[in-house]
Amino acid sequence: MQTHTAKRVEIVIEAPLESRLTSALTEAGVTGFTILPVLGGSGRSGHWSREGQLGRAGMVNVICIIAPERLDSLLEAAFAVVEPHIGVVSITDCQVLRAERF
């Protein structure tokens, strides 16, 4: 079966910023993404969990799979939202079927 190279971008950000991030991604031409709740983790500030946060809004993980030539516009849009806040952006290469969907 034929596979095609794509980019998988994962953005972990504070849940209250979810709509701002997804609006920015949509304006940048991203046509699809998946949003998952993040239950907890560990980072520069140590361990944390959703239950331990004020308001318990927590974090979300926004996952996008896109064509490589669209990566720069996605990153510019995402970074404008993430940069002044808590968040992590990661990029990995992946293989997809049906490249026309991305």
Side-chain angles (χ1 to χ4, degrees):
M1 187 167 286
Q2 174 93 27
T3 62
H4 307 273
T5 300
K7 297 291 184 179
R8 178 183 171 117
V9 180
E10 294 194 41
I11 305 161
V12 178
I13 194 165
E14 297 165 283
L17 297 170
E18 175 188 319
S19 64
R20 189 182 320 173
L21 175 61
T22 56
S23 292
L25 293 174
T26 300
E27 288 176 24
V30 176
T31 58
F33 45 81
T34 299
I35 301 168
L36 302 171
V38 176
L39 301 177
S42 180
R44 206 167 46 180
S45 301
H47 292 285
W48 65 273
S49 71
R50 180 173 293 230
E51 286 73 33
Q53 293 185 326
L54 282 176
R56 296 187 179 164
M59 307 283 277
V60 294
N61 186 10
V62 179
I63 303 166
C64 309
I65 297 177
I66 61 166
E69 61 270 12
R70 298 176 52 214
L71 180 62
D72 286 341
S73 61
L74 182 152
L75 292 177
E76 288 175 17
F79 193 69
V81 176
V82 174
E83 195 272 329
H85 301 283
I86 296 170
V88 176
V89 178
S90 65
I91 306 154
T92 54
D93 292 328
C94 66
Q95 296 293 310
V96 298
L97 305 176
R98 303 188 299 178
E100 70 280 357
R101 295 183 176 253
F102 304 98

